[in-house]
Amino acid sequence: MESISSHAYAPIGVFDSGVGGLSVLRAIHAALPDESLIYCADSSHAPYGERDNAFIIERTLAISTWLVQQGVKALVVACNTATAQANYLLQKKFSIPIIGIEPGIKPAAQYSSSRIAGVLATASTLRSEKFHRLITTYAADCRFICQAGSGLVEAIERGETDSDEVLALLKAYLTPMLDAGADTLVLGSTHFPFLEKSIRRIAGDQLRLIETGEAVARQLARRLAAQQLCAPPDAKVTLRLYSTANGIRLQTLASQFLKTDQIAEHISIPSSSVNAVS
């Protein structure tokens, strides 16, 4: 394992294939307001969900390595696809706490009254062994209708959350679930919480939405406390935003959802992990 500084004043690194992980970053900031954060969106390669496993692993390792080089004390993989395909490799490679994310199959099975739930996720997440283990372990007597949300991540990366295209895609994806009697919907991508208003336009209050950002924040808090890595009260809180694409969309969404005016910098992170900030 690589040895790095684990100083309590160090920031927490968070990354996603794009802007979707801001939904997790928001939950982390709410739960741990004294912690400094570095967020990296690999938007020049988004979405990961349509890529092959080798590519996903390659990019996950590159982004994670860059964040570790920035001196983060913990790493949050705010991407269901990256967690499913590469989290085990990160656990082997780095000695800092690694917190992944996974679709909320367990809470959906607990909350569903009709015993029918929908899952909206990327194709890669749905085909992963990790996802199938979740279904096998936690689905119990609940029927899950799984749907790849093709086109939705790309739309969100373009800044579209309620366009005619997005609404048409959501209607096509959600209607079979609603017709089958689903009362719960697992948002299996960190991008999808940004579609809540559009989902409500189609499903009304019929679907209870399950996202796992708050659960990730709680797990992160436990891991930091267990290793005495919580930021002390006198720590200066900072937020740094980076994107491998144009940072304007990241900055716009961060302003909207995190109420920050922090500038998002462009960064190049080749898969060789050689990088440069511009």
Side-chain angles (χ1 to χ4, degrees):
M1 285 189 176
E2 296 180 3
S3 177
I4 67 163
S5 172
S6 59
H7 198 284
Y9 286 91
I12 297 162
V14 183
F15 86 90
D16 180 34
S17 64
V19 300
L22 287 176
S23 62
V24 178
L25 191 76
R26 177 175 57 184
I28 292 171
H29 179 66
L32 301 168
D34 295 328
E35 298 289 350
S36 291
L37 301 167
I38 301 177
Y39 182 83
C40 184
D42 193 19
S43 289
S44 65
H45 297 97
Y48 284 177
E50 306 300 323
R51 306 280 194 166
D52 62 50
N53 294 353
F55 182 90
I56 296 165
I57 290 170
E58 184 179 80
R59 290 308 300 166
T60 299
L61 289 173
I63 302 297
S64 299
T65 297
W66 180 81
L67 282 167
V68 169
Q69 290 170 350
Q70 307 313 300
V72 299
K73 63 184 178 184
L75 179 65
V76 177
V77 185
C79 176
N80 286 273
T81 299
T83 297
Q85 301 299 339
N87 207 54
Y88 71 100
L89 292 174
L90 300 181
Q91 299 282 358
K92 291 181 179 180
K93 184 175 177 63
F94 302 115
S95 59
I96 60 174
I98 307 290
I99 312 297
I101 191 167
E102 60 188 25
I105 300 300
K106 182 178 180 180
Q110 292 174 333
Y111 293 136
S112 176
S113 298
S114 68
R115 312 313 298 150
I116 301 172
V119 180
L120 192 62
T122 66
S124 179
T125 294
L126 293 179
R127 71 170 180 259
S128 69
E129 291 183 11
K130 187 178 183 66
F131 179 78
H132 289 284
R133 285 198 299 271
L134 284 173
I135 291 289
T136 300
T137 303
Y138 298 117
D141 63 336
C142 190
R143 174 191 170 200
F144 281 88
I145 302 172
C146 300
Q147 172 65 55
S150 300
L152 292 175
V153 172
E154 294 93 329
I156 295 167
E157 287 291 318
R158 295 193 300 267
E160 300 175 22
T161 58
D162 59 358
S163 65
D164 290 343
E165 177 189 350
V166 167
L167 289 170
L169 288 172
L170 284 173
K171 185 174 182 180
Y173 297 152
L174 299 180
T175 297
M177 301 177 189
L178 295 169
D179 290 347
D183 63 355
T184 306
L185 177 64
V186 176
L187 301 178
S189 167
T190 54
H191 283 75
F192 295 164
F194 297 120
L195 299 176
E196 180 175 355
K197 289 184 179 179
S198 293
I199 291 171
R200 293 295 179 208
R201 287 180 64 179
I202 295 166
D205 294 327
Q206 183 173 333
L207 294 174
R208 177 173 187 163
L209 304 185
I210 305 293
E211 58 174 297
T212 49
E214 291 182 1
V216 169
R218 290 193 297 271
Q219 175 65 2
L220 173 62
R222 286 192 291 266
R223 294 286 298 279
L224 292 178
Q227 297 192 31
Q228 298 183 319
L229 288 174
C230 297
D234 62 342
K236 180 181 178 181
V237 179
T238 61
L239 171 65
R240 293 156 59 190
L241 303 174
Y242 297 94
S243 174
T244 60
N246 188 317
I248 293 176
R249 292 192 183 98
L250 174 61
Q251 190 170 319
T252 299
L253 279 177
S255 174
Q256 180 180 354
F257 290 100
L258 300 177
K259 309 302 180 185
T260 178
D261 58 1
Q262 179 63 40
I263 294 173
E265 299 181 59
H266 172 263
I267 184 164
S268 175
I269 306 179
S271 294
S272 63
S273 298
V274 177
N275 57 75
V277 176
S278 62

